[in-house]
């Protein structure tokens, strides 16, 4: 079956530091990959996505590249802000195989200190 | 345009009681999903509606959970009787139907936090 593994948190960084949150996946088909973010007191929001190999998703300064050879989709940001403090979830779906439901990782809490 | 809404935002019940969660998807979205996050673990899929039909209910944990989507609009998820291990956050998401080979974005509601004592 499909699964997603992401680095455990919390990750604590100082403002303007470089961020990497690792995510690897196992899938039987050819999945689409996502990063969702949950800010305190809010629901899940799509941060970025990539639907095929070597695609790069980007949004709000965050980037992730779909690496089929390493089955990874690591999230990066060059300079984090306090407002980036949230829980980040890596996820996949496989609509081509009829599996639209998202499979999530366990989430990584990011704390950015001023 | 209104987003996905869920009601209630919080619910505290005793073991053995019944709780009904409601989800209102974005208007026009045929796909409606239920997920839950238990004890800070990963978010797990429960089931998927396409309009009023259950497309995939492989994630439903047991027969104490009953989901409905009469008329293909809002959905309810009933837990009866509730057990301690049902505590967690229940998320609803919706997406438009763009065809089988196209990826659609799922839009999530804020979740219902359920605590069973």
């Amino acid at each position: 079956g499909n699964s997603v593994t992401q680095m455990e948190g919390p990750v604590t960084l100082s403002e303007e530091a470089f961020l990497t949150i690792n995510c690897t996946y196992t899938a039987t088909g050819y999945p689409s990959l996502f990063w969702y973010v949950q800010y305190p007191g809010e629901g899940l929001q799509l941060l970025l996505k990539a639907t095929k190999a070597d695609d790069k998703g980007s949004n709000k300064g965050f980037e992730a590249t779909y690496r089929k050879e390493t089955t990874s989709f690591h999230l990066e940001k060059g300079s984090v802000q306090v407002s980036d403090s949230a829980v980040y979830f890596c996820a996949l779906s496989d609509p081509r195989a009829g599996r639209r439901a998202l499979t999530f990782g366990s989430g990584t809490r990011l704390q950015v200190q001023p | 345009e209104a987003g996905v809404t869920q009601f209630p935002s919080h619910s505290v019940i005793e073991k053995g009681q019944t709780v009904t969660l409601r989800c209102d998807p974005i208007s026009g979205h045929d796909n409606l999903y239920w997920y839950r996050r238990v004890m800070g673990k990963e978010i797990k899929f429960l089931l998927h509606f396409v309009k009023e039909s259950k497309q995939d209910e492989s994630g439903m944990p047991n027969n104490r959970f009953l989901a409905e989507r009469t008329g293909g609009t809002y959905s309810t998820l009933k837990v009866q009787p509730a057990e301690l291990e049902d505590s967690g956050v229940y998320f609803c998401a919706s997406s438009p139907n763009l065809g089988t080979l196209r990826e659609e974005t799922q839009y999530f509601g804020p979740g219902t936090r359920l605590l069973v004592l």
Side-chain angles (χ1 to χ4, degrees):
Chain A
N2 297 340
S3 67
V4 175
T5 302
Q6 61 183 106
M7 61 189 292
E8 294 193 16
V11 173
T12 303
L13 296 173
S14 297
E15 208 165 19
E16 300 183 2
F18 184 86
L19 168 70
T20 299
I21 300 178
N22 290 336
C23 171
T24 57
Y25 67 90
T26 302
T28 54
Y30 195 146
S32 296
L33 303 174
F34 306 83
W35 277 100
Y36 278 83
V37 58
Q38 185 179 24
Y39 298 103
E42 299 184 15
L44 289 164
Q45 301 175 26
L46 178 68
L47 181 59
L48 52 85
K49 68 179 183 182
T51 58
K52 61 182 187 296
D54 299 325
D55 268 3
K56 178 186 284 187
S58 62
N59 186 25
K60 300 182 180 180
F62 291 89
E63 293 183 340
T65 301
Y66 190 141
R67 300 289 188 199
K68 197 169 191 296
E69 64 277 13
T70 55
T71 62
S72 65
F73 194 54
H74 304 321
L75 182 68
E76 296 182 337
K77 186 174 185 181
S79 176
V80 293
Q81 305 300 313
V82 172
S83 57
D84 294 326
S85 298
V87 182
Y88 293 80
F89 294 91
C90 186
L92 67 82
S93 70
D94 196 355
R96 296 173 188 82
R99 180 74 175 174
R100 294 177 180 273
L102 291 164
T103 299
F104 284 91
S106 56
T108 302
R109 180 175 298 278
L110 170 65
Q111 298 173 331
V112 181
Q113 298 176 336
Chain B
E1 179 183 294
V4 177
T5 57
Q6 293 187 244
F7 183 82
S9 59
H10 295 77
S11 180
V12 181
I13 61 172
E14 293 187 350
K15 176 183 172 181
Q17 290 186 322
T18 297
V19 64
T20 300
L21 313 180
R22 173 172 168 142
C23 168
D24 286 79
I26 292 173
S27 178
H29 282 191
D30 288 344
N31 294 296
L32 187 150
Y33 303 81
W34 283 100
Y35 298 86
R36 72 172 179 177
R37 189 182 191 204
V38 174
M39 293 293 289
K41 296 183 178 177
E42 68 269 23
I43 300 168
K44 288 201 169 180
F45 165 75
L46 296 177
L47 87 159
H48 170 209
F49 284 99
V50 177
K51 297 184 180 178
E52 67 275 8
S53 299
K54 293 177 184 175
Q55 181 77 9
D56 180 355
E57 50 185 329
S58 60
M60 294 289 263
N62 51 61
N63 59 9
R64 296 185 293 103
F65 289 75
L66 175 64
E68 295 180 327
R69 192 182 182 195
T70 306
T73 54
Y74 71 91
S75 174
T76 58
L77 179 65
K78 180 189 289 186
V79 185
Q80 179 182 31
E83 299 289 345
L84 301 180
E85 64 265 25
D86 300 331
S87 297
V89 182
Y90 289 76
F91 292 102
C92 175
S94 72
S95 68
N97 198 356
L98 300 179
T100 57
L101 297 181
R102 289 187 61 184
E103 186 59 62
E104 74 265 12
T105 297
Q106 293 185 26
Y107 297 87
F108 281 75
T112 293
R113 189 174 298 274
L114 174 65
L115 179 60
V116 182
L117 300 175

